[in-house]
């Protein structure tokens, strides 16, 4: 395969395969049943061998863990559960030595109720810190009604009433997520200055990228109107938010090396989404449209075309995401009748054919890893972990579960600790004799441990290792153009320059492969040389 254009001279974030580590659930070195940085450091070689180019860490900051660390009490330190700041610095250095970049999760929309600013604001209704948040009197004669009727992202209302120091009922404060996560007031210059400093804190420590949590939510309409059809949302995707990211871009541009800003932007409107990726704003953002897409050739092609068309005018690379710590594992999604994903309809408990989901997840890996741009791998995806749907109610931790009145199962099922080795829980997640893992692991995962899959050429782990090795050696993959090839209905086939093709068969019957010189990798066997249902092939075409 000849390289039409080398990707080697392009910034890493245009091409990289980025592995998401969910620190609580990756590897536990100190035996408390919760993952930690020492556990990650011990597994860096595993990640290097897997072939990823970067690691994104979920929040590791000091936190009361009301939302698994997305409630940050101190943006410049590490929670003792995970380790120390010195360990984080060592980890960054060790990853760099292995050629792996590090992406830090910054949570700017809200902090923890334990953050010193919020504590000061609560302690005194006259405190200047009140202005750093959204404190408002309630409605109604006694102020007993919340200032707005907005619905929070975890269900329930978005305001909690405070109690004044003299015991009388006080103002309400805004939280788009749990009450333990008060929203910052981004109209206040001190909030802006603080986060610019937080960015510098981690960039100074070698962070190569910043994942921006809830990136579209920061700015609110200060008039606090109700949400209404046909008018801009008072709390999501306000035009003024772009000014914040322009100032952040000036900061990353001032650092040596390619430092990337990566937005968590959930927006249905692709044009509004792409606005975040203008040349003076964020570098990339997560492609949730593709993640939510059903396992269907036409729907996926529509999503791929729409994604590429939206990114092209702003010059940003697309990203491809199948799973993360917020969504139902794609092995499980793809094994259901309805294979789409939305937060509104999680379908926990509906029938799942895990074998079907596994076969499709293998094909989806080859599809997503050969599309133009960067790709994300959520920890455990390379092991084919499915959603743990049998977690007993009393062990569920996600605030989404309680706040939805126990209707939404929450996100614990995709956050279960990684099975590394052995035949029974904790599967090497913790050292022998440790506390139980913070969420129970399905005993069936004994066949999915990294140890069980290592060296098995048919395993999901081997598929990911093979795919990433090919991707690294093949300059056609990653950033660059895509050309659709003629194919029968229900088959997706595309070429990447120069001489690479990916074919995925969604039809019920096997199909012939297009003309090729060599088969580089397939997601499953090819009986009779034909590509079966739910199978993908990577080909060298010339
Ligand atoms: C993002 C995170 C999610 C968290 C929420 C609030 O969506 O991915 O896990 O609960 O923000 O910080």
């Amino acid at each position: 395969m000849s390289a039409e254009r080398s990707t080697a001279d392009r910034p890493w974030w245009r091409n990289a395969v980025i592995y998401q580590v969910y620190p609580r659930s990756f590897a536990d070195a100190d035996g408390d049943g919760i993952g930690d940085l020492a556990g990650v450091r011990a597994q860096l070689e595993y990640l290097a061998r897997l072939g990823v180019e970067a690691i994104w860490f979920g929040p590791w900051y000091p936190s009361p863990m009301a939302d698994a660390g997305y409630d940050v009490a101190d943006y410049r330190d590490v929670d003792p559960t995970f380790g120390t700041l010195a360990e984080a610095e060592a980890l960054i250095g060790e990853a760099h030595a292995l050629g792996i970049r590090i992406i830090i999760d910054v949570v700017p929309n809200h902090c923890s109720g334990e953050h010193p600013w919020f504590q000061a604001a609560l302690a005194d209704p006259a405190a200047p810190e009140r202005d750093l948040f959204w404190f408002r009197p309630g409605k109604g004669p006694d102020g007993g009604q919340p200032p707005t009727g907005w619905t929070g992202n975890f269900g329930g209302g978005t305001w909690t009433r405070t109690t004044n120091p003299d015991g009388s009922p006080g103002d309400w404060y805004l939280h788009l997520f749990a009450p333990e996560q008060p929203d910052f007031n981004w109209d206040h210059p001190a909030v802006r200055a603080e986060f610019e400093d937080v960015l510098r804190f981690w960039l100074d420590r070698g962070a190569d990228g910043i994942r921006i949590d809830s990136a579209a939510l920061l700015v609110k309409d200060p008039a606090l109107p109700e949400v209404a059809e046909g008018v801009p949302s008072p709390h999501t995707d306000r035009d003024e938010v772009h000014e914040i990211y322009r100032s952040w871009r000036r900061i990353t541009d001032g650092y040596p090396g390619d430092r990337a800003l990566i937005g968590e932007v959930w927006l249905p409107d692709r044009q509004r989404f792409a606005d975040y990726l203008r040349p003076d704003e964020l570098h990339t953002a997560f492609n949730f449209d593709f993640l939510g897409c059903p396992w269907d050739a036409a729907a996926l092609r529509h999503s791929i075309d729409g994604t590429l068309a939206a990114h092209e005018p702003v010059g940003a690379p697309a990203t491809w995401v199948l799973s993360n710590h917020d969504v139902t594992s794609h092995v499980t999604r793809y094994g259901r009748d309805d294979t789409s994903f939305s937060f509104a309809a999680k379908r926990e408990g509906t029938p799942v054919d895990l074998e079907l989901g596994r076969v499709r997840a293998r094909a989806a890996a080859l599809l997503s890893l050969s599309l133009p741009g960067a790709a994300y791998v959520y920890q455990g995806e390379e092991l084919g972990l499915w959603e743990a749907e049998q977690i007993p109610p009393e062990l569920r931790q996600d605030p989404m579960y309680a706040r939805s009145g126990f209707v939404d199962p929450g996100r614990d099922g995709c956050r279960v600790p990684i099975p590394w080795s052995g035949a029974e829980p904790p599967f090497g997640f913790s050292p022998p004799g440790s506390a139980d893992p913070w969420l129970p692991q399905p005993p069936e995962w004994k066949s999915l441990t990294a140890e069980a899959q290592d060296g098995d050429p048919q395993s999901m782990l081997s598929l990911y290792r093979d795919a990433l090795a090919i991707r690294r050696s093949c300059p056609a993959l990653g950033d660059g153009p895509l050309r659709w090839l003629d194919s029968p209905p229900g088959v997706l086939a595309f070429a990447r320059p120069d001489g690479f093709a990916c074919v995925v068969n969604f039809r019920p019957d096997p199909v012939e492969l297009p003309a090729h010189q060599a088969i580089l990798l397939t997601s499953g066997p090819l009986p009779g040389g034909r590509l079966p249902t739910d199978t993908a092939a990577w080909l060298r075409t010339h």
Side-chain angles (χ1 to χ4, degrees), residues 20 22 56 59 67-71 105 107-110 153-154 176-178 181 211-215 217 264 266 288 324-326 343 398-400 411 415:
Q20 180 188 352
Y22 192 71
W56 149 35
D67 183 22
Y70 282 97
D71 47 323
D105 209 321
V107 188
N109 179 68
H110 45 266
N153 285 294
F154 295 156
L176 293 183
F177 293 90
Q181 295 167 293
R211 181 259 187 192
I212 306 163
D213 187 72
S214 304
L217 307 187
E264 189 211 12
W266 291 87
F288 296 122
N324 67 27
H325 65 295
D326 291 329
F343 283 106
D398 184 3
M400 226 179 215
R411 302 161 294 180
R415 299 175 172 181

Side-chain angles (χ1 to χ4, degrees), residues 168-187:
S168 61
D171 287 345
W172 299 67
Y173 68 89
L174 175 67
H175 50 84
L176 293 183
F177 293 90
E180 296 87 350
Q181 295 167 293
D183 279 46
F184 282 115
N185 171 16
W186 274 86
D187 294 336

Side-chain angles (χ1 to χ4, degrees), residues 15 38 75 109 158 235 259 262 332 350 370 417 479 489 541:
N15 294 309
Y75 290 86
N109 179 68
T158 60
H235 54 61
R259 314 293 180 107
I262 304 160
T332 297
T350 57
S370 56
D479 195 20
T541 50

Side-chain angles (χ1 to χ4, degrees), residues 2-197:
S2 66
E4 185 174 84
R5 180 176 45 71
S6 166
T7 49
D9 55 348
R10 319 211 72 190
W12 65 275
W13 46 268
R14 299 194 72 94
N15 294 309
V17 174
I18 300 162
Y19 187 92
Q20 180 188 352
V21 165
Y22 192 71
R24 292 181 79 73
S25 298
F26 189 66
D28 168 26
D30 67 5
D32 62 357
I34 301 174
D36 45 48
L37 300 189
V40 179
R41 290 171 71 189
Q43 293 292 0
L44 279 178
E45 289 287 348
Y46 167 86
L47 296 177
R49 186 167 163 219
L50 180 59
V52 301
E53 284 126 330
I55 305 172
W56 149 35
F57 285 92
W60 56 26
Y61 312 104
S63 166
M65 305 287 169
D67 183 22
Y70 282 97
D71 47 323
V72 180
D74 179 353
Y75 290 86
R76 296 179 185 79
D77 204 349
V78 169
D79 194 277
T81 308
F82 299 135
T84 62
L85 179 59
E87 277 182 285
E89 291 170 345
L91 194 165
I92 294 172
E94 288 159 6
H96 284 169
L98 290 167
I100 296 176
R101 314 235 179 201
I102 296 292
I103 297 165
I104 309 291
D105 209 321
V106 167
V107 188
N109 179 68
H110 45 266
C111 58
S112 159
E114 300 293 317
H115 189 285
W117 284 4
F118 193 71
Q119 286 293 308
L122 274 188
D124 175 5
E129 285 83 358
R130 284 234 160 182
D131 295 340
L132 304 172
F133 301 92
W134 291 95
F135 281 86
R136 287 290 184 282
K139 287 187 172 163
D142 57 358
Q145 305 296 317
T148 71
W150 302 349
T151 303
N153 285 294
F154 295 156
T158 60
W159 297 88
T160 293
R161 195 166 196 183
T162 59
T163 304
N164 291 323
D166 66 2
S168 61
D171 287 345
W172 299 67
Y173 68 89
L174 175 67
H175 50 84
L176 293 183
F177 293 90
E180 296 87 350
Q181 295 167 293
D183 279 46
F184 282 115
N185 171 16
W186 274 86
D187 294 336
H188 198 296
V191 172
R192 297 192 182 219
E194 168 71 358
F195 274 93
E196 293 186 2
D197 193 64

